[in-house]
Amino acid sequence: MRLMVMLLMPLSSRGFRSLPSLLSTAYNSPRFFSSTSSSPTPSNSSLPTTPFATTYHAPVMCNRILSYLEPMLSAASPPKRVVDLTCGGGGHTEAFLQLLKEKGATDVEVIGVDRDRDSALEAGKRLKSFPNFRHVLSNFGDLTVEQLGGQVDFVLADFGVSSHQIDDTSRGFRYGGADGDNAGPLDMRMGRDEGPSAADVVNEGSEEELVEILMKYGGEGYMSAKRIVASIIDSRPLTRTDELAAAVEAVTPKWNKGSPRKGALKTKARVFQAIRVAVNDEMGSLDRLFTTVLPRVVRPGGLCAVLTYQSDEDTVAKRAFRSHRVVAGRVVEVKDAEIGRDLYGNEVAPGERVWDVINNGEKAKADETKANSRARSARLRVARRRENYK
């Protein structure tokens, strides 16, 4: 029954015996549900064709996102604050700043939020020429209106994985090759100095806890998860990413013609993904973002744009924009089955909707996906916060 808990329930609420103390810190990870294999990133030769791309990162769907912000600049009440909740290397943030500069709206403050100090330093260097930019080092799942200086008019959250973090072997996201190339310390923390590392989780977690992590966040079957966890426990202590990879490979066939998903390469990717999601409490952060943070920080009439890359995260965003309502002062999901209609076709449901959906999920155009392969799976959702929500 423990494995039937809702997807959005954070690990710390499920009665783990040893991991609660390890994972008690509230984490923010906008970058989740993407495999962290040792595959190289796209060549830098493709980056200049992507707007605001650098060797650090290539932002996705920049021009389309700007098309939602630009009309707000000529409105009767122009925006005061624009926030990039997943600033990273500053690609989308620079796009906002450049648009505001071109429109003579440099009095609009642009705030970049990220939990990673390395990303904050990179963004600071890149954007130092813009006086209307500032950075907030924060878990976006715990962000407050006070940190931002007031409610904001436009918010972007990009849930893509930072290619720089993946490529930096010292961060521990890549499992490396058989000879240990590209391997590093078993860390996986989005913020270097935050809470327990992946090594803490795999070395101190119980069999039951680790099996649940692999099943819930990696999609492993029960018997496969049991087999992998037994190998992990037998291999303890694990301190490097190639050691964790070897523990998985020891009980996984290299190739499986009948089901490529069960081969070693894809299995390692799922295991690393699952451990990373647990280490960073990624689902907990996403839940807090939609139920607590966004309804408070976005002003009535303000826009929220979300970039997703996997079906799981896209489902979370879609359900939040479509189904979140304020009931008894709390933001909760009201499912379609709970919504009725009166004789005139008007909705009869508890509470008030938080969002009005602007689009149902746009995909990147072919020219962008050709230049930036990471844009292929991207989906952009935009919603406006309702005026009648207090």
Side-chain angles (χ1 to χ4, degrees), residues 53-284:
T54 67
T55 55
Y56 191 95
H57 187 66
V60 172
M61 296 182 74
C62 253
N63 290 334
R64 189 65 185 115
I65 292 167
L66 292 178
S67 73
Y68 286 98
L69 172 61
E70 185 172 5
M72 300 177 71
L73 302 179
S74 57
S77 299
K80 295 180 179 180
R81 296 180 189 87
V82 173
V83 176
D84 184 349
L85 288 175
T86 50
C87 184
H92 287 112
T93 311
E94 184 180 10
F96 296 149
L97 289 161
Q98 192 62 45
L99 174 65
L100 295 172
K101 183 178 180 180
E102 292 173 0
K103 297 296 182 181
T106 53
D107 57 331
V108 178
E109 185 178 32
V110 177
I111 304 170
V113 179
D114 206 288
R115 69 187 298 182
D116 182 20
R117 293 184 185 276
D118 290 354
S119 296
L121 290 173
E122 178 69 21
K125 289 188 293 184
R126 177 177 184 173
L127 305 173
K128 63 182 179 181
S129 64
F130 296 96
N132 55 327
F133 168 75
R134 70 180 174 96
H135 198 283
V136 173
L137 190 67
S138 176
N139 174 333
F140 78 179
D142 298 323
L143 195 65
T144 65
V145 175
E146 290 71 25
Q147 285 176 290
L148 300 175
Q151 288 187 310
V152 303
D153 304 273
F154 187 94
V155 169
L156 169 68
D158 180 351
F159 298 139
V161 175
S162 167
S163 56
H164 181 78
Q165 286 183 327
I166 298 298
D167 294 342
D168 184 351
T169 56
S170 71
R171 305 302 296 268
F173 293 105
R174 299 176 68 173
Y175 45 75
D179 56 0
D181 287 348
N182 295 321
L186 195 55
D187 194 324
M188 299 194 195
R189 289 174 293 184
M190 294 294 183
R192 285 182 184 270
D193 54 356
E194 293 183 353
S197 67
D200 295 323
V201 171
V202 299
N203 288 319
E204 299 183 32
S206 70
E207 178 187 22
E208 181 184 8
E209 292 160 358
L210 294 177
V211 166
E212 183 172 0
I213 286 172
L214 297 192
M215 293 182 66
K216 190 172 185 61
Y217 300 136
E220 286 299 310
Y222 178 71
M223 295 306 298
S224 174
K226 287 271 289 185
R227 185 170 59 251
I228 293 169
V229 168
S231 181
I232 289 173
I233 292 174
D234 289 343
S235 303
R236 288 172 173 172
L238 300 170
T239 61
R240 291 177 55 81
T241 56
D242 53 340
E243 293 172 350
L244 176 58
V248 177
E249 291 172 347
V251 292
T252 308
K254 186 173 183 179
W255 304 105
N256 190 315
K257 292 183 179 180
S259 178
R261 183 180 184 276
K262 296 180 180 179
L265 186 64
K266 292 191 176 182
T267 301
K268 284 188 295 185
R270 291 194 303 275
V271 170
F272 271 63
Q273 169 187 290
I275 299 299
R276 191 198 74 235
V277 171
V279 165
N280 294 287
D281 186 27
E282 299 184 9
M283 293 308 297

Side-chain angles (χ1 to χ4, degrees), residues 363-372:
K363 293 186 177 182
K365 294 184 177 179
D367 57 347
E368 181 173 0
T369 60
K370 183 178 180 181
N372 181 7

